[in-house]
Amino acid sequence: MIDTRRLRTLRAVADHGTVTAAAAALHLTPSAVSQQLVALEHEVGHRLFTRDGRGVHLTAVGKIMLGHANEVLAQLERAEAEVAAYTTGEAGEVTVACFATAISAVLSPAIIALRDTAPGVQVRVLDAEGDHSLAMLLDSEADLAIAVEYRGAPDASDRRLSRLPLYAEPFDLVLPRDHPLAGSATLVSLASESWIGPYPGNPVHDVITFACQQAGFTPNVTHCSDDFRAVVALVGAGTGVALVPRLALRDMVLPGVVVRHTPGPERRVFAAVRRGADSHPLLHPLLAALRTIAASLGTG
């Protein structure tokens, strides 16, 4: 009989690529993770990993087992959801990993809405960039993630997750008020400018870089901040230009800058839960509230 705890360990090592990183995600020691893997290999009767320097890679049998592990763990999530539904599940805590703009735009309004529709559901919020929230979800540090599409993100066919599209958010150009092109700027007209944007690794950095490359240039990013208020402040100080998600600009005081809508990139935002958990009685009302709030945003 295969121990399901070892299947979770298998998936964590496959997700993180090293025993040490998987151990940190599972709150275990590397030695305990290695012992779990050895025990699982004995149970299966085949090697599941090969080592390459500090990393590990799935063997062919390991990949087969990972596919089944995803299905088994999803079924366990469904079982927990049904049990919770049977025992009413009207009260409890949901942990949500979400990036700052979406906390303001959809999550906070959804929390307010739940006070009327599901007052027993308590939401605990973890501020996490759009590329970190999914890892937190898969590592069971969060019950729900609000994330953005980015290079390398699990796609809609990923068997570990169930996804709910929320909204597509355009980016706007932000320029110093006295910029010569303040009234007529386009992406291509700003090719030689200094740019301000998030650090590499932030999904927004990838979106901006790709949009500029599509316009025929690579942006010269001279100032970096993951805080859009700081980005706008630096634009207002005349240090460069920026592309900023439209909802991040909403309700922001914008001294010394102009904002121009321009055909360009957008970021697609979605909610995700572990597959099988989408019918959980604590998650279902929150997902419904998020869908309703997102539909009312009017980001175009």
Side-chain angles (χ1 to χ4, degrees), residues 218-229:
T218 298
N220 174 28
V221 180
T222 55
H223 304 282
C224 289
S225 175
D226 290 331
D227 184 332
F228 292 119
R229 291 186 181 276

Side-chain angles (χ1 to χ4, degrees), residues 27-255:
H27 305 291
L28 298 171
T29 65
S31 175
V33 169
S34 294
Q35 290 171 12
Q36 293 264 25
L37 294 178
V38 170
L40 182 59
E41 287 181 327
H42 282 309
E43 289 173 340
V44 174
H46 292 274
R47 291 189 66 186
L48 302 177
F49 292 93
T50 59
R51 293 188 176 274
D52 180 13
R54 295 184 178 180
V56 292
H57 301 280
L58 288 170
T59 64
V61 174
K63 292 177 181 177
I64 292 172
M65 284 302 302
L66 179 61
H68 287 291
N70 287 332
E71 293 300 322
V72 169
L73 295 175
Q75 186 60 42
L76 287 175
E77 294 280 358
R78 283 189 284 270
E80 291 178 5
E82 289 185 18
V83 169
Y86 180 78
T87 57
T88 73
E90 294 179 353
E93 183 179 83
V94 176
T95 299
V96 182
C98 181
F99 60 99
T101 302
I103 290 174
S104 299
V106 291
L107 183 55
S108 294
I111 290 172
I112 294 171
L114 286 178
R115 291 173 186 157
D116 292 327
T117 61
V121 178
Q122 302 298 313
V123 180
R124 174 173 172 255
V125 180
L126 302 177
D127 189 342
E129 289 298 333
D131 55 335
H132 294 161
S133 59
L134 291 177
M136 296 171 72
L137 175 66
L138 291 170
D139 290 338
S140 297
E141 295 177 32
D143 304 304
L144 185 149
I146 298 179
V148 298
E149 299 285 1
Y150 62 93
R151 287 185 293 182
D155 62 24
S157 65
D158 193 300
R159 292 189 294 174
R160 299 170 297 174
L161 301 172
S162 293
R163 299 177 14 150
L164 171 69
L166 292 177
Y167 60 89
E169 178 183 11
F171 283 62
D172 291 329
L173 281 170
V174 183
L175 300 91
R177 189 174 300 280
D178 59 357
H179 193 284
L181 297 176
S184 60
T186 62
L187 265 183
V188 69
S189 70
L190 300 171
S192 62
E193 298 286 333
S194 295
W195 284 77
I196 307 161
Y199 285 96
N202 186 313
V204 173
H205 176 92
D206 289 346
V207 172
I208 293 170
T209 300
F210 181 72
C212 292
Q213 289 172 344
Q214 290 291 97
F217 69 97
T218 298
N220 174 28
V221 180
T222 55
H223 304 282
C224 289
S225 175
D226 290 331
D227 184 332
F228 292 119
R229 291 186 181 276
V231 169
V232 172
L234 287 169
V235 174
T239 64
V241 300
L243 273 169
V244 178
R246 185 166 298 170
L247 288 175
L249 295 169
R250 189 176 66 174
D251 301 325
M252 190 186 295
V253 177
L254 303 172

